[in-house]
PDB file of all heavy atoms in Angstrom:
ATOM      1  N   VAL T   8      -0.922  15.035  -9.787  1.00 98.00           N
ATOM      2  CA  VAL T   8      -0.527  15.841 -10.965  1.00 98.00           C
ATOM      3  C   VAL T   8      -1.750  16.755 -11.258  1.00 98.00           C
ATOM      4  O   VAL T   8      -2.698  16.317 -11.769  1.00 98.00           O
ATOM      5  CB  VAL T   8      -0.174  15.035 -12.187  1.00 98.00           C
ATOM      6  CG1 VAL T   8       0.269  15.974 -13.277  1.00 98.00           C
ATOM      7  CG2 VAL T   8       1.041  14.110 -11.856  1.00 98.00           C
ATOM      8  N   VAL T   9      -1.547  18.135 -10.998  1.00 98.00           N
ATOM      9  CA  VAL T   9      -2.584  19.085 -11.345  1.00 98.00           C
ATOM     10  C   VAL T   9      -2.361  19.464 -12.774  1.00 98.00           C
ATOM     11  O   VAL T   9      -3.355  19.611 -13.530  1.00 98.00           O
ATOM     12  CB  VAL T   9      -2.457  20.356 -10.360  1.00 98.00           C
ATOM     13  CG1 VAL T   9      -3.514  21.350 -10.754  1.00 98.00           C
ATOM     14  CG2 VAL T   9      -2.599  19.861  -8.898  1.00 98.00           C
ATOM     15  N   ALA T  10      -1.178  19.773 -13.209  1.00 97.00           N
ATOM     16  CA  ALA T  10      -0.891  20.155 -14.554  1.00 97.00           C
ATOM     17  C   ALA T  10       0.457  19.360 -14.896  1.00 97.00           C
ATOM     18  O   ALA T  10       1.430  19.284 -14.027  1.00 97.00           O
ATOM     19  CB  ALA T  10      -0.598  21.627 -14.726  1.00 97.00           C
ATOM     20  N   PRO T  11       0.610  18.653 -16.001  1.00 97.00           N
ATOM     21  CA  PRO T  11       1.731  17.680 -16.269  1.00 97.00           C
ATOM     22  C   PRO T  11       2.988  18.337 -16.742  1.00 97.00           C
ATOM     23  O   PRO T  11       3.993  17.677 -16.814  1.00 97.00           O
ATOM     24  CB  PRO T  11       1.133  16.711 -17.326  1.00 97.00           C
ATOM     25  CG  PRO T  11       0.197  17.615 -18.151  1.00 97.00           C
ATOM     26  CD  PRO T  11      -0.470  18.597 -17.032  1.00 97.00           C
ATOM     27  N   THR T  15       6.799  15.360 -19.002  1.00 98.00           N
ATOM     28  CA  THR T  15       7.381  14.793 -17.747  1.00 98.00           C
ATOM     29  C   THR T  15       7.178  13.305 -17.600  1.00 98.00           C
ATOM     30  O   THR T  15       5.997  12.859 -17.805  1.00 98.00           O
ATOM     31  CB  THR T  15       6.533  15.606 -16.577  1.00 98.00           C
ATOM     32  OG1 THR T  15       6.624  17.024 -16.812  1.00 98.00           O
ATOM     33  CG2 THR T  15       7.149  15.098 -15.236  1.00 98.00           C
ATOM     34  N   GLU T 150       2.637   3.976 -16.007  1.00 96.00           N
ATOM     35  CA  GLU T 150       1.715   3.428 -17.090  1.00 96.00           C
ATOM     36  C   GLU T 150       2.417   3.690 -18.400  1.00 96.00           C
ATOM     37  O   GLU T 150       1.768   3.851 -19.523  1.00 96.00           O
ATOM     38  CB  GLU T 150       0.478   4.194 -17.013  1.00 96.00           C
ATOM     39  CG  GLU T 150      -0.351   3.952 -15.720  1.00 96.00           C
ATOM     40  CD  GLU T 150      -1.673   4.654 -15.620  1.00 96.00           C
ATOM     41  OE1 GLU T 150      -2.114   5.321 -16.675  1.00 96.00           O
ATOM     42  OE2 GLU T 150      -2.360   4.473 -14.524  1.00 96.00           O
ATOM     43  N   ARG T 152       4.095   5.922 -19.891  1.00 97.00           N
ATOM     44  CA  ARG T 152       3.795   7.355 -20.654  1.00 97.00           C
ATOM     45  C   ARG T 152       4.269   8.541 -19.936  1.00 97.00           C
ATOM     46  O   ARG T 152       4.567   8.438 -18.690  1.00 97.00           O
ATOM     47  CB  ARG T 152       2.239   7.348 -20.946  1.00 97.00           C
ATOM     48  CG  ARG T 152       1.488   7.406 -19.673  1.00 97.00           C
ATOM     49  CD  ARG T 152      -0.009   7.633 -19.960  1.00 97.00           C
ATOM     50  NE  ARG T 152      -0.919   7.473 -18.762  1.00 97.00           N
ATOM     51  CZ  ARG T 152      -0.991   8.321 -17.732  1.00 97.00           C
ATOM     52  NH1 ARG T 152      -0.321   9.418 -17.756  1.00 97.00           N
ATOM     53  NH2 ARG T 152      -1.835   8.029 -16.728  1.00 97.00           N
ATOM     54  N   ALA T 153       4.088   9.725 -20.540  1.00 97.00           N
ATOM     55  CA  ALA T 153       4.329  10.956 -19.863  1.00 97.00           C
ATOM     56  C   ALA T 153       3.159  11.153 -19.014  1.00 97.00           C
ATOM     57  O   ALA T 153       1.997  10.654 -19.147  1.00 97.00           O
ATOM     58  CB  ALA T 153       4.529  12.028 -20.883  1.00 97.00           C
ATOM     59  N   LEU T 154       3.452  11.977 -18.001  1.00 98.00           N
ATOM     60  CA  LEU T 154       2.309  12.222 -16.970  1.00 98.00           C
ATOM     61  C   LEU T 154       1.178  13.102 -17.642  1.00 98.00           C
ATOM     62  O   LEU T 154       1.457  13.800 -18.548  1.00 98.00           O
ATOM     63  CB  LEU T 154       2.852  12.989 -15.845  1.00 98.00           C
ATOM     64  CG  LEU T 154       4.034  12.301 -15.043  1.00 98.00           C
ATOM     65  CD1 LEU T 154       4.414  13.181 -13.760  1.00 98.00           C
ATOM     66  CD2 LEU T 154       3.639  10.921 -14.650  1.00 98.00           C
ATOM     67  N   LYS T 155       0.025  12.987 -17.078  1.00 97.00           N
ATOM     68  CA  LYS T 155      -1.091  13.791 -17.461  1.00 97.00           C
ATOM     69  C   LYS T 155      -1.833  14.244 -16.113  1.00 97.00           C
ATOM     70  O   LYS T 155      -1.703  13.688 -15.163  1.00 97.00           O
ATOM     71  CB  LYS T 155      -2.007  13.055 -18.346  1.00 97.00           C
ATOM     72  CG  LYS T 155      -2.706  11.805 -17.763  1.00 97.00           C
ATOM     73  CD  LYS T 155      -3.515  11.052 -18.858  1.00 97.00           C
ATOM     74  CE  LYS T 155      -4.159   9.852 -18.282  1.00 97.00           C
ATOM     75  NZ  LYS T 155      -4.962   9.166 -19.289  1.00 97.00           N
ATOM     76  N   ALA T 156      -2.694  15.287 -16.308  1.00 97.00           N
ATOM     77  CA  ALA T 156      -3.441  15.788 -15.165  1.00 97.00           C
ATOM     78  C   ALA T 156      -4.317  14.725 -14.585  1.00 97.00           C
ATOM     79  O   ALA T 156      -4.920  13.932 -15.329  1.00 97.00           O
ATOM     80  CB  ALA T 156      -4.354  16.973 -15.715  1.00 97.00           C
ATOM     81  N   GLY T 157      -4.284  14.686 -13.247  1.00 97.00           N
ATOM     82  CA  GLY T 157      -5.083  13.616 -12.566  1.00 97.00           C
ATOM     83  C   GLY T 157      -4.277  12.399 -12.125  1.00 97.00           C
ATOM     84  O   GLY T 157      -4.794  11.616 -11.297  1.00 97.00           O
ATOM     85  N   ASP T 158      -3.066  12.228 -12.648  1.00 97.00           N
ATOM     86  CA  ASP T 158      -2.292  11.114 -12.170  1.00 97.00           C
ATOM     87  C   ASP T 158      -1.944  11.210 -10.688  1.00 97.00           C
ATOM     88  O   ASP T 158      -1.812  12.393 -10.204  1.00 97.00           O
ATOM     89  CB  ASP T 158      -0.987  11.096 -13.035  1.00 97.00           C
ATOM     90  CG  ASP T 158      -1.113  10.588 -14.398  1.00 97.00           C
ATOM     91  OD1 ASP T 158      -2.248   9.923 -14.694  1.00 97.00           O
ATOM     92  OD2 ASP T 158      -0.240  10.775 -15.331  1.00 97.00           O
TER      93      ASP T 158
END
Side-chain angles (χ1 to χ4, degrees):
V8 180
V9 177
T15 306
E150 299 183 1
R152 57 171 172 79
L154 300 186
K155 63 183 182 181
D158 286 342

